[in-house]
Amino acid sequence: MTSMSRARAARRIAAGAAYGGGGIGLVGAAAVGLLLAEVQLAKRHVGNGTVAHVPQAEGRYGHGYTTPGEPPLRLTMLGDSTAAGQGVHRAGQTPGALLASGLAAVAERPVELRNVASPGARSDDLDRQVALTLADPARVPDICVIMIGANDVTNRMPPTRSVRHLSAAVRRLRTAGAEVVVGTCPDLGTIEPVQQPLRWIARRASRQLAAAQTIGAVEQGGRTVSLGDLLGPEFAANPRELFGPDNYHPSAEGYATAAMAVLPTVCAALGLWPAEEERPDASRREGFLPVARAAAEAASEAGTEVAAAMPTGPKGPWALLKRRRRRRVPEPDATPATPSG
């Protein structure tokens, strides 16, 4: 599928989400039946149905940066097992802990991490998670990171419905005053036990949903980062290193790879990234594009950021596409505090 056709498909899905449509499918009915059957086999093979182990990582990070009179930054993770950190054994290996530590190092301020993500969650669980996030008006997060979409694909949620839930979540969080970064649907076509033709179907469905998620999130004032690397080319090249023991969820190294991709965008959303890196770099093929085209390009290249630029243009809203340089995520420096509830 070409970049232009991907952009058109993503635009149709996003438009259906905005105007209440629900009948736009990712693949044909026969293919969906095959996809569902093979996904269930793959899940049993990789042990995805076992009891979820999610380390408790909530608490304060960056204690060494305490500044009198300056409150810690608040970071909240929302989404599915990826956001929760399922598959690793130590709290410091979860993406939330890695992002909190990295943000604390860049901001030179402590970061309070909260995680309301739920293993197995689909986008229709975001309404509940956002309600938890915003329950205390005095503790609205400075930034929220949402990682969602994989279970939407494997559970046959219509992409228009998926994007509608995500867009609503981003809108509510932005209206409350939080910055929002969405890690879009990872490439499910590289899960090791998955064979053709499921592999091709899963990749196509994942990328279409990721592109549509980008349009929906950016139009509501969020930023997105494509997470193809999470279950993408690096995983295909190094499955023993980047997948966890179940061959389905990322390993500690895999989560670190994802965190390195997301951290620069988290920092940029809070105005903490170097100003010279905010200008588009033509040598890295960065620049302003119609939002649907930017979304399609980002879905094809992991680690690519898309942010709103101009509300109107010759082809509708425009976005800035960035390929930020990755920096090593600092190791978590503190034991998470005892959770409050």
Side-chain angles (χ1 to χ4, degrees):
M1 185 180 285
T2 67
S3 177
M4 291 305 293
S5 60
R6 280 195 299 269
R8 284 193 295 270
R11 196 160 46 231
R12 285 196 302 271
I13 293 169
Y19 295 106
I24 301 176
L26 290 168
V27 291
V32 166
L34 176 63
L35 174 64
L36 294 175
E38 292 218 11
V39 162
Q40 295 309 314
L41 288 172
K43 280 187 175 182
R44 284 198 292 271
H45 184 74
V46 301
N48 192 46
T50 57
V51 176
H53 170 73
V54 180
Q56 177 53 257
E58 290 188 326
R60 180 172 294 198
Y61 293 81
H63 287 280
Y65 299 111
T66 301
T67 304
E70 192 171 33
L73 289 168
R74 296 192 182 103
L75 163 66
T76 298
M77 302 291 295
L78 303 90
D80 56 21
S81 58
T82 299
Q86 183 177 352
V88 293
H89 298 288
R90 299 207 313 267
Q93 297 171 329
T94 63
L98 293 166
L99 287 172
S101 298
L103 178 58
V106 173
E108 297 186 344
R109 284 174 64 182
V111 173
E112 288 283 354
L113 172 66
R114 188 180 183 203
N115 199 323
V116 298
S118 178
R122 304 182 307 180
S123 293
D124 54 4
D125 190 50
L126 288 176
D127 182 65
R128 180 190 66 84
Q129 295 183 24
V130 170
L132 288 172
T133 300
L134 302 179
D136 184 353
R139 297 183 61 81
V140 173
D142 296 286
I143 183 117
C144 294
V145 175
I146 304 173
M147 296 179 176
I148 200 82
N151 296 311
D152 297 28
V153 174
T154 60
N155 287 280
R156 202 182 175 184
M157 176 180 285
T160 48
R161 183 180 168 204
S162 175
V163 173
R164 191 179 306 127
H165 285 294
L166 175 62
S167 298
V170 174
R171 181 169 60 250
R172 287 175 64 193
L173 293 168
R174 293 290 292 126
T175 300
E179 296 291 338
V180 181
V181 174
V182 177
T184 55
C185 182
D187 182 354
L188 298 178
T190 53
I191 298 172
E192 202 172 41
V194 174
Q195 302 300 320
Q196 295 291 13
L198 172 60
R199 188 180 296 274
W200 178 86
I201 295 170
R203 172 168 289 121
R204 183 181 176 209
S206 302
R207 290 185 177 184
Q208 283 189 1
L209 179 56
Q213 286 177 317
T214 296
I215 296 174
V218 168
E219 288 183 345
Q220 298 302 327
R223 300 182 185 221
T224 64
V225 180
S226 56
L227 289 185
D229 271 358
L230 192 60
L231 294 170
E234 292 184 38
F235 278 64
N238 303 288
R240 293 286 177 263
E241 180 181 352
L242 294 179
F243 276 121
D246 64 3
N247 289 330
Y248 189 88
H249 291 98
S251 64
E253 188 66 28
Y255 277 130
T257 300
M260 280 190 287
V262 173
L263 178 61
T265 300
V266 167
C267 294
L270 292 171
L272 298 171
W273 212 238
E276 63 271 15
E277 291 196 20
E278 292 306 291
R279 293 186 291 271
D281 185 340
S283 69
R284 299 208 297 265
R285 295 178 293 117
E286 298 179 345
F288 298 95
L289 295 169
V291 66
R293 186 176 160 198
E297 289 204 14
S300 301
E301 185 173 343
T304 304
E305 174 190 320
V306 180
M310 295 170 281
T312 58
K315 297 182 180 180
W318 281 56
L320 174 60
L321 185 144
K322 294 279 294 177
R323 296 176 171 88
R324 296 186 184 276
R325 296 184 180 90
R326 297 184 189 176
R327 301 186 179 187
R328 184 68 188 174
V329 177
E331 289 292 326
D333 68 337
T335 301
T338 301
S340 57

